[in-house]
Amino acid sequence: MRDDATPTEAESTGETVEAVLDTVARSAPDIRQGLPGRRAAIEAENPSGESQKAADVYADELLCDRLGDIDGVGVYASEERPDPVEVGSGLSVCVDPLDGSSNLEPNAAMGTIVAVYDGALPATGDELVAAAYVLYGATTTMMVAREGEVTEYVVHPDGEYEIAQADVTIPEEPSVYGFGGRVPHWVDDFESFAREVESDPSMKLRYGGAMIGDVNQVLTYGGIFAYPTLSNAPEGKLRVQFEGYPVGYIVETAGGASSDGAQSLLDVEKDDLHARTPVYVGSEDLVDDLEAALEE
Ligand code: FDP
């Protein structure tokens, strides 16, 4: 028989998830305050071959230190470092420390993305136990998906945070779209779909160049975000473990849909930590239309 004072596995997982989310929220103001003076590129590349900013490395080191200190976190992995770091035993935490850091110089919105997996890395979509993103916009907000619900928080400069919206659901009537990649590299079927969306009088373009900012537009107003397959990059640009799974999980939990073009992002299986996938997320009807267009 179980000793009532001993937490069950599910309780321990829940406590670790809460500690991870709390740490990310409380670290957001420190990350934000560390951005001035770290806007320039440094002489280094991330494992995907993209040039790093001083701020990418700063946010990565800060989150590795703080998340790695949490009891129940076993592994910390980040888009900014080639290999996972063993920090203890327990859950695997994958982080994109500064999503959209090319928005630093023009001073536009950026994010931090966190995915918590109950499994070894690279994990599968069904091993996700929570996902969240912080959006550094005019205000700092955090969107959290866990236990079948999405909650939006406002994070104050002192690291305290409070619920801004409970039970976030994607609006029924879509009104915004944002598609990444250079248009000449879009495949014909995607371009036809994009033209259809553009010609719908109820739809407006909202594209800022940081996935988190663009996905937050879609969650707020309804619509679709895509970083599609490209003729010169069939897997697109975004990474499964750090971007595709967590964003798919958040949007699906909010009642929307996600796809890699043929299946839910959560069903994508790649055996490389830094593998990429095309990403399509948003209102269910639009994602269904997109999949139908790509099937043709
Ligand atoms: P960034 O390179 O600035 O970090 O995954 C990274 C990302 O930004 C996404 O946030 C964004 O949606 C995409 O790349 C933008 O890519 P393009 O430069 O090709 O538009």
Side-chain angles (χ1 to χ4, degrees), residues 99-102 207 209-211 225 227 237-239 243:
D99 171 70
S101 56
S102 51
Y207 187 75
M211 180 187 65
F225 166 81
Y227 201 105
K237 178 176 185 190
L238 305 176
R239 277 127 298 208
E243 293 161 314

Side-chain angles (χ1 to χ4, degrees), residues 125-144:
D126 62 4
E127 288 172 323
L128 265 171
V129 289
Y133 62 76
V134 172
L135 178 60
Y136 309 99
T139 57
T140 305
T141 54
M142 182 165 87
M143 198 69 88
V144 173

Side-chain angles (χ1 to χ4, degrees), residues 52 62 137 159 191 205 218 231 256 272-273:
Q52 288 176 311
L62 184 146
E191 186 165 355
L205 171 64
V218 165
S231 57
D272 182 283
L273 181 67

